Amino acid sequence: MLLSECISYIISAINKFIGTSLVITSVVMWFCMFVVQARAESPDGGKLQPEASRIEAVLDRLQEKMSGIQGLQTGFVQEKELAVFKQKIVLKGKVALRKPSMLAWHVLEPMRYSLVMDGDMVRQWDEDSKQVQEISLARNPAFQAAVAQMKQWFSGTYKSLEKDYTVGMPSQSPVTLEFTPREATVAAKVIKRVTVIFKDDERYIQQIRVEEQNGDGMSLTFVDTRLNEPIDEAVWEVKPRV
Amino acid sequence: MFDRVFSFLYDHVQKRRWLVTGLTGMVIVISLIGLRFVAFDNNIELMLPGDEEVHRSMQFLRESNFSNKVILSLEMKSAEGTTQELISAVDRLAESLKPPMVKEVVTGISEVNMQEEMLSFMKDVPQLIDESRLSQIGREITPEGVQARLRGIYQQMLTPGSTFLMPFARSDPLGVASNVLRAFEKLPALLGYEVTIQNGHFVSADGRHAMMILDTPVALTDGFGSRELISYVRDRLQGLPPGISADIVAGHLHSISNEDVIKRDIRLTTIIASVGFLLLFLLGFRDARSILVFIMPMISVLISINLSYLILHKLSYFIIGMGTVIAGISIDYGIFVYLAVRTGGRSDVAKQLAKPVIVGALTTLGVFAAFFFSSVGGYNQLALFSSLSIVFCLAYALFLLPHFLSGKGKDAIPSPDTLPLVRRFPVPDTIRVAIYVALMICAGIPAMSTKFDNDVTQFDGTAPDIVQAENRFYEVWGGREKPAVFVVPGKTLEEALQQGERIYREATAAVGEENFSSLVSLWPSRATREANAARWERFWRRGHEEELRKYIREQGVQYDFSEEAFSPFFENLYAGLVIRDEPRGLSFFGKLKEQFVVKKQDGYQLLSFFPDEDRYRQALASVSARYPGTFVVSQSAFSHSLSRAVTSELIFLSAIAGVFILVTARLLLRNTPLTVLVMVPVFTGLLVILGIMSLLGLALNTPSILAAMVVTGIVSDYGIFMVYSYRYELKVGARASVSLAALTTLLGAGVLVFARHPVLFSIGVTMLAGVLAGYLSSLLIVPSLYRLWIQRGAGSA
């Protein structure tokens, strides 16, 4: 009976995809990678080290920097190349994050859509229906899994991601991390590779690219990122003010 | 003639007493050895009445896979501990749990292939869509309808979730599968627990608890197996890391706990009774020969166990548990003979009291023999076992015991004619009877408001720590209220499914779709799926396919959808027309089916679930009545049925026992007034039982009815002995015998008031009140009534 219940949760989550929309693991993964570290450290001018220990050192560094970030706001430009569309879709919008558990994702172009997550609740709105939907994380394991991962990324515990991803570093300048899902993980079924490129000063992420198993792809570029600055409370409202 | 026959046998045995003793000794030794080979049955079903509904429900619960499961709830107690550490502990524990004790361990579900499996399942949707849904789809295939759908898909592609959403949108642009997937969602809605999935494991909402389900081959009615199983699981739990604890939730724990409580109570009561007996005989009489009386019931019980096992081939633990009660009863015969010999100073005085002792034994036998008429297997065992015990005790007391009690005059003991207190403060018979009547009225008033509680669940003696563990479990996981089950049988699964569909329509009309969960709502019968598939094919091939392609092409332009955007839908449009027994690619379907389908030797049972509430039970009982062979199983209704069946069974048996006592007494005494006198202790005992229970706020229940039946058998012996000794002016120490007999019975049965188990406690209170009242009335009132009524009446005549 539990098995069927679990399936139903997942199905209900998928159903909600169909009817509405849902934050999922890959998105959280993207977000988490975008949360920018607080303080710059001078990049390691350094000597060549064995690959794994170099990556470990970078992860440690990034993890430490992240621990100082309590909140951020950033604009984004997202380009999606999906087989279902003839041409690339370009989205523009804003993202806000506040520890420990608040997230706001606002799409401004080509159509308005908002999603705000606060603790156990997710609320979403779109300009078409103009309705606000509320989803409880406690009753949605898929959502909850996403939040759990999110918390992990936001807590700066990058190293814990190594159990689900192999981490490569194709470039040290700028720091570029390549995350490949390990076999037998949910992400591996969908995601081929995630590449995160940091700015030269490592203060924030410049771009993230996701390649999917089916050939689709996405890139997310951050602009005008502000760290630890006061966040207007209107950002946490899912429905835009008139 | 009776006296002649008994005297012949008595003298015969007396001449060969050492041979008889030797043979008895051999039988005892053989019986002791035989105990090693006696297999005791711990199956509680042996104690269930033969009510059809009760047995059907028990059989269903036994054959379904519900009662065999054990659930473990692990908790991360350490504040620093993480959910991942908890999950790792779950995995290690799961690996350590192996056959034969544990058939399978379920710790969660694998999410890895979930998306693929759901997409694969969606290909079978053509078989699952009924006519009305197809018509609805037809109405949506319009330019406006398609445009609305495409806009929704476009929006979803822009959201963060698009990666996982896309395959579903491409495979089902019209949301055809949404109804089917909704059925999936509803299926387990009534089945219980509130779980989340983390890393493929069952985890609580707070992330601090994980659940494991163990499938075992041990039925919870199997007492020995349950103990082994729980011991095995507890042993494995020792390997959990520090900071992680586990609660076990299983019906098996209740079986074991009840048995442990009963065993503890039996040990305690046996010790108290044994010490009491020993002190009584050694210090009270200071006669080593009194040991011969003390060991008498033990010998008879020992022989009876072996003989009963030879005849029945199994014996229930519950019946053996009645041993202390039977020991207290059957020792009476030895006491009567012992005191008669000691008082009379001759061993052959046993011949004088053979008749009243035998008749007394017959009335007691009558009570237990009534259980032969019972439909409960355990009661039949009780009847045979008790009867044999009483017969052996009687034979020992009358034919063996007297020969080893010295008949010399110097051993004679004085027999007081009444209680010391009464001797000191004599009360005229009329006053005594008047006081008695007044007391009976006083007892009768509260007796009239005695409540009757026949709910068998009150007799669950499960230890508090087990109940607390279950409460903790339900607080974390929910699922306290178990659903009721609607069972549809069928020789084949297809037959059950087809019948299930007809019932589903009626049932959902009666109680609502949200209150009736059935597999047919998700995976109907083959016949229905074939019809659906044929309808689907006709629907699309008659132009709807082309129409839809055209509208997607036209309306999709504004959203820039590619030509191949929805090719997965069209490529698989007819893929689901192949009819299979199970949906392809769904690895968890087998597990799902397990909850809703039971395979039996002679067919299948399709299970549907609904809330276990009166209104739904009644509505669905009406539906069931229209479909022969189907039935409803409800936990709450089951306990009511059981209570009702047990109570009516006992009332029937009580009536038989009552008639038997009356007839036997009348046959002995051949005099109605004397028979009435014999019944005075019986009447007194029963009235006082009811009065005391009412005053103590206790309700009469099935164990107390059972105990009251035994009380009638015991106190009728006192009445018979007293009346007979007065009638024939026997000098056999009647008063002392009755007093000692009552004392030993009170020791044997009254100690049950110290028992923790509610059944044994209830029996203890009943017997203490009934035997004490019966004894006092036999000693104080029967002689007065005899003098006032019988003697005076004979004098005036």
Side-chain angles (χ1 to χ4, degrees), chain B residues 104 266 383 575:
Chain B
E104 189 185 3
I266 288 172

Side-chain angles (χ1 to χ4, degrees), chain B residues 6 52 79 89 108 191 213 223 227 297 341 355 390 393 404 415 496 499 548 552 563 582 662 707 716 726 759 767:
Chain B
F6 181 80
E52 190 198 338
L191 298 185
I213 304 165
R227 197 172 288 279
V341 171
K355 208 180 220 180
I390 291 167
C393 272
F404 296 96
S415 171
Q499 181 84 314
L548 182 60
I552 287 175
E563 296 289 331
E582 290 190 359
L662 267 172
S716 64
Y726 269 86
V759 171
M767 294 206 64

